[in-house]
Amino acid sequence: MSKHFDIIIKHGTILQMDKGLNVLTDHVVAIRDRKICAIEPLAHFTVNAGVEGVSFHSARTVIDATDCIVMPGLINAHTHLPMSYMRGLADDLPLDKWLKDYIWPAEDKLLNDELGDKFIYDATLYGAAEVIRSGTTMVSDMYFKGEQMGRALVDAGLRGIIGEAVTDLIQANGKDRIGEYAVDMNREFASTNLVEFSVAPHAIYSCSENVLRKCAKAAIDNDLLLHIHISESEKERNDCIVKHGKRPVEYLAQTGFLDARTILAHGIWVDKDELTLLAERNISVATCTESNLKLCSGILPLRDYMETGVNLCLATDGAASNNNLDLFTEMDTTAKIHKMINHDPALLPAHDVVKMVTCNAAKAIYREHELGSLLPGYLADITIVALDTLNSQPIFNPYSHLVYALNGHNVRDVIINGKLVLKNRKLTTLDEKALIATAKHYQEKICRILPL
Ligand SMILES: [Zn+2]
């Protein structure tokens, strides 16, 4: 009986990013119904039907990945896509001043405008296009107006976990019912098979202990992911000790966060005791190296992470503090900065850095059973990187190239949920020129309403 496939990817160097870090050549990846259904030797896929009637003729789309790296789609474990239009809005400032004097006032005006919903939708769509173009197939996001963000992700064809941000101020305004919103939205978006919602208290300094406890309880009761910024600045850590008599991770433990499916963003100002606590509870950290460097927030203690075994993945944070959403440059910077400050060029080898945007990131969001590796039965989220540009040849080690030589512009094709959303460097779901025109429109609007 003949098998039918939606997409077949032939040739290419396949990085499975599985436990053995297998690298396959002369193999084929076959996709059907949103999933990878087979990864088999090319010889099995002959024109005249080979093993079990499998042939290239039975695929709707055949992608020739000669001179390409085929890898799991990259996962950006902490970002804020709706901040895409705030790229470069206010740079060269410390975190506290950046947030209080620029970002929060800007958000106050833009989101409360009668067109606030449209702003969120448009900005998320723009961010989604940027991440797809650079090989990212999934984001774990945190922002406001999650329904609009969800609609944008579905329209772009990007997989995502959307955290509706919770703060004391939002609670005081009665705008969010902690947990209920995520449950409602999960029901509404269930049929998309792309978007799910999490509970996302912004930080320990913007949420009271009572609100944090409610968030943890809501996440546990409804089996939702819990997503929070933690230990991003030294001030945050010191204030926590003064106010609560505990270090931030200990304080989170007190509020129930370590009993939930939790992902922490940043985790810079943590000590070994805190990391041991995270490792024991299997809780991961998404580090945002470039954003942390730009805001001078600090550099996380990588050796302590390695010694305690805390799962670490990479993220860009929002475009307002990065200022791009390209995980390739994030890999490059992360590898180099930790080598430098540890005076050890052997630290953090390239394959370990690639794990941080694939299998480690899938584990961080509790989806390692279906994402982050190329294996039969896994969801078909795949990035194909072309080695057809001057910065890509010669190639001796694909992991080295992904971290040190290539960038998001080398991504040629992207498949998400079994659908080709980037084909030969062209978005199939969105009009890139229209997106850029819309971004310029918002630039003018922001200049009109903010005293820049
Ligand atoms: Zn953030």
Side-chain angles (χ1 to χ4, degrees):
M1 196 173 77
S2 176
K3 289 182 181 177
H4 294 278
F5 302 107
D6 297 326
I7 301 173
I8 279 179
I9 305 166
K10 62 176 182 174
H11 307 304
T13 301
I14 301 168
L15 306 187
Q16 288 193 278
M17 301 313 297
D18 55 349
K19 284 202 170 63
L21 289 185
N22 279 313
V23 179
L24 305 173
T25 53
D26 297 325
H27 274 64
V28 161
V29 180
I31 296 163
R32 187 198 304 127
D33 297 336
R34 308 193 296 118
K35 290 188 174 176
I36 297 168
C37 56
I39 301 177
E40 292 189 25
L42 187 62
H44 291 188
F45 287 74
T46 62
V47 172
N48 297 314
V51 174
E52 295 182 47
V54 172
S55 84
F56 290 130
H57 289 313
S58 56
R60 215 174 302 151
T61 303
V62 176
I63 298 174
D64 186 343
T66 302
D67 280 336
C68 292
I69 295 170
V70 180
M71 66 184 295
L74 278 53
I75 299 172
N76 191 341
H78 175 76
T79 189
H80 312 282
L81 293 189
M83 296 181 87
S84 295
Y85 293 150
M86 297 177 201
R87 186 197 324 268
L89 175 62
D91 294 317
D92 311 325
L93 295 167
L95 174 67
D96 222 31
K97 194 171 172 52
W98 176 73
L99 280 176
K100 287 180 182 161
D101 294 353
Y102 292 90
I103 297 301
W104 287 345
E107 288 173 333
D108 195 42
K109 290 187 178 166
L110 291 165
L111 305 191
N112 291 323
D113 185 291
E114 59 180 16
L115 296 175
D117 280 4
K118 186 163 165 43
F119 175 85
I120 294 290
Y121 174 84
D122 287 344
T124 306
L125 204 66
Y126 192 90
E130 184 181 351
V131 304
I132 291 172
R133 275 296 245 128
S134 53
T136 293
T137 55
M138 182 173 190
V139 294
S140 175
D141 207 289
M142 177 199 287
Y143 209 66
F144 308 102
K145 299 178 183 281
E147 185 172 6
Q148 300 302 321
M149 295 167 65
R151 289 206 304 112
L153 293 194
V154 171
D155 290 348
L158 178 65
R159 193 183 302 284
I161 304 174
I162 297 171
E164 181 76 10
V166 176
T167 66
D168 285 348
L169 192 63
I170 292 168
Q171 285 305 296
N173 290 338
K175 281 188 179 171
D176 182 45
R177 302 144 291 142
I178 295 172
E180 285 178 39
Y181 184 82
V183 171
D184 289 349
M185 287 296 114
N186 272 339
R187 201 174 299 125
E188 192 170 324
F189 283 85
S191 63
T192 68
N193 289 313
L194 270 181
V195 174
E196 65 171 274
F197 287 74
S198 60
V199 179
H202 173 261
I204 57 172
Y205 55 84
S206 51
C207 295
S208 68
E209 184 169 348
N210 186 38
V211 165
L212 292 175
R213 283 184 189 280
K214 282 186 185 170
C215 288
K217 184 173 184 325
I220 294 165
D221 289 351
N222 298 292
D223 196 25
L224 299 164
L225 190 74
L226 193 55
H227 182 180
I228 188 170
H229 297 102
I230 193 76
S231 300
E232 181 175 1
S233 71
E234 190 174 16
K235 181 178 184 309
E236 176 191 342
R237 193 266 312 263
N238 293 344
D239 287 352
C240 181
I241 293 170
V242 169
K243 196 170 172 191
H244 305 290
K246 286 186 160 61
R247 291 166 286 192
V249 172
E250 293 167 334
Y251 177 56
L252 282 186
Q254 174 181 305
T255 55
F257 272 58
L258 307 195
D259 303 317
R261 293 193 299 129
T262 300
I263 178 168
L264 306 176
H266 301 299
I268 300 168
W269 295 92
V270 287
D271 63 25
K272 228 166 168 180
D273 291 340
E274 292 176 281
L275 290 172
T276 302
L277 205 51
L278 294 180
E280 283 170 3
R281 309 303 274 274
N282 256 326
I283 288 175
S284 307
V285 171
T287 178
C288 309
T289 310
E290 292 189 332
S291 168
N292 297 156
L293 288 173
K294 180 159 173 276
L295 292 165
C296 256
S297 304
I299 300 168
L300 64 74
L302 184 73
R303 281 201 190 275
D304 289 347
Y305 270 81
M306 291 166 77
E307 284 166 19
T308 51
V310 174
N311 180 49
L312 196 57
C313 60
L314 284 190
T316 59
D317 216 345
S321 64
N322 188 298
N323 293 2
N324 64 67
L325 302 173
D326 185 344
L327 280 170
F328 284 84
T329 61
E330 202 70 31
M331 286 196 281
D332 187 28
T333 307
T334 301
K336 288 171 181 168
I337 198 82
H338 287 291
K339 288 173 193 299
M340 183 64 238
I341 63 163
N342 286 284
H343 307 290
D344 182 4
L347 189 77
L348 213 52
H351 60 264
D352 278 346
V353 184
V354 178
K355 283 169 71 175
M356 292 166 86
V357 294
T358 54
C359 48
N360 287 13
K363 185 177 178 196
I365 52 165
Y366 304 85
R367 301 281 293 273
E368 72 267 39
H369 56 285
E370 58 180 358
L371 289 167
S373 302
L374 296 186
L375 291 167
Y378 274 48
L379 290 164
D381 288 10
I382 300 172
T383 289
I384 300 176
V385 186
L387 304 169
D388 58 357
T389 50
L390 291 174
N391 67 328
S392 66
Q393 293 293 337
I395 175 163
F396 304 102
N397 179 325
Y399 298 110
S400 157
H401 261 36
L402 290 171
V403 176
Y404 302 119
L406 307 176
N407 58 59
H409 296 295
N410 291 99
V411 172
R412 191 190 75 180
D413 308 299
V414 172
I415 296 164
I416 302 176
N417 217 25
K419 186 176 173 189
L420 196 55
V421 292
L422 184 74
K423 184 180 181 185
N424 287 326
R425 295 187 169 90
K426 197 168 170 7
L427 295 162
T428 66
T429 51
L430 301 169
D431 180 343
E432 202 167 319
K433 279 191 179 149
L435 290 171
I436 289 168
T438 309
K440 288 182 174 175
H441 158 76
Y442 279 107
Q443 177 196 327
E444 288 167 13
K445 179 171 179 169
I446 290 168
C447 286
R448 278 200 302 275
I449 62 174
L450 284 180
L452 292 173

